[in-house]
């Protein structure tokens, strides 16, 4: 699957994605894998599909808004410290550049991101 051409569409919930293991220094629990597929870059803004299998991993975020298509996870905000949130289908979340998080995915999570 490659980036979308103008006028082209894709079923973001069913599109096949190629998973890879996360770097070991990011894995906290389990053996989660992730997949990402860039759909488009519009005016310097990236839009794509991201997916993570069950497990817990740390991340340092970029400026992003995402919408969960499927799955469930708990996102802990390590730095700056903020209350953890539960996300599932339909959740819309804003992340900030440099924010440190820990993602605990209980059901493979797929989201559309805008970054």
């Amino acid at each position: 699957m490659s980036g979308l051409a103008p006028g082209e569409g894709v079923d973001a919930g069913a599109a096949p994605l190629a998973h890879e293991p996360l770097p070991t220094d990011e894995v906290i629990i389990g053996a989660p894998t992730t997949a990402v597929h860039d759909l488009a870059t519009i005016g310097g803004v990236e839009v794509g599909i991201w997916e993570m299998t069950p497990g817990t991993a740390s991340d340092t975020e970029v400026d992003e808004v995402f919408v969960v298509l499927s799955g469930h996870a708990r996102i802990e905000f390590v730095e700056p410290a903020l209350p953890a949130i539960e996300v599932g289908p339909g959740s819309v979340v804003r992340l900030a550049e440099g924010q440190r998080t820990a993602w605990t995915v209980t059901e493979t999570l797929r989201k559309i991101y805008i970054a």
Side-chain angles (χ1 to χ4, degrees):
M1 192 165 85
S2 62
L4 295 176
E8 183 181 11
V10 66
D11 181 342
L17 301 175
H19 278 253
E20 295 185 11
L22 285 166
T24 55
D25 63 334
E26 294 178 10
V27 175
I28 299 170
I29 297 171
T33 63
T34 60
V36 65
H37 177 72
D38 294 330
L39 294 172
T41 300
I42 303 166
V45 176
E46 294 179 20
V47 179
I49 303 168
W50 180 87
E51 187 172 81
M52 180 175 159
T53 61
T56 302
S58 63
D59 196 13
T60 301
E61 304 299 340
V62 299
D63 281 328
E64 174 184 339
V65 172
F66 68 83
V67 179
V68 176
L69 298 175
S70 60
H72 291 91
R74 176 179 175 86
I75 305 170
E76 295 178 51
F77 298 94
V78 178
E79 191 176 308
L82 297 169
I85 59 172
E86 301 283 333
V87 297
S91 296
V92 179
V93 178
R94 166 82 163 79
L95 301 172
E97 177 81 27
Q99 206 168 27
R100 290 184 38 231
T101 56
W103 293 66
T104 300
V105 173
T106 54
E107 179 185 329
T108 297
L109 186 80
R110 183 175 284 212
K111 67 180 186 176
I112 295 290
Y113 66 85
I114 304 163

